[in-house]
Amino acid sequence: MLAFSELPQLLKIPVFVQHYHEHQERDASTTFWGFVTEHYQGRFIVDDDYKRDMELPFRTTNVVINTTVIFTPPLAIEVPDTDHFYTKEFLISNDSDQSLVSTHDIFQPPRV
């Protein structure tokens, strides 16, 4: 579970608490919210304790790649040969020169 998630970041919480106390020792007016704002919002300032800042939880990410490879034997698919051929003739004309479908039957002048 720890190897494939960001849970190791939670193991860094003691470092967070220690670093907060270090900031309070340097400046007694440092509030918790001020500490969080300084270290997690806006630009990261490179100062004398930058290396210590980078040890805080969720300042860096653990790149985790989970790759699963499954080898399966080749699967042979056989398509049966079809020996049946259907032959059906459709006639659209009864004469080689005249079609069975005549436009004369469809388009006729109006009758009175």
Side-chain angles (χ1 to χ4, degrees):
M1 188 82 170
L2 293 176
F4 299 109
S5 68
E6 289 294 326
L7 286 178
Q9 297 292 333
L10 297 178
L11 299 176
K12 296 180 181 181
I13 289 177
V15 176
F16 179 85
V17 173
Q18 282 180 336
H19 195 57
Y20 172 66
H21 288 302
E22 291 168 3
H23 273 264
Q24 277 194 324
E25 287 174 3
R26 279 188 271 165
D27 184 10
S29 65
T30 302
T31 63
F32 179 76
W33 187 250
F35 175 78
V36 170
T37 302
E38 178 183 341
H39 288 88
Y40 290 100
Q41 288 184 345
R43 296 175 154 241
F44 293 151
I45 300 169
V46 179
D47 53 2
D48 57 342
D49 68 342
Y50 180 73
K51 282 188 176 185
R52 182 75 167 152
D53 292 345
M54 295 311 290
E55 293 174 5
L56 292 173
F58 301 106
R59 282 289 293 237
T60 59
T61 181
N62 297 336
V63 178
V64 177
I65 298 175
N66 184 7
T67 305
T68 304
V69 178
I70 299 173
F71 293 101
T72 60
L75 179 66
I77 299 174
E78 294 183 21
V79 179
D81 292 335
T82 56
D83 293 334
H84 305 289
F85 292 101
Y86 298 101
T87 56
K88 178 130 177 129
E89 293 184 22
F90 295 98
L91 297 175
I92 55 174
S93 68
N94 57 358
D95 189 15
S96 62
D97 294 333
Q98 186 166 356
S99 171
L100 286 174
V101 180
S102 173
T103 58
H104 177 69
D105 294 338
I106 299 172
F107 300 104
Q108 293 183 359
R111 296 184 188 166
V112 184

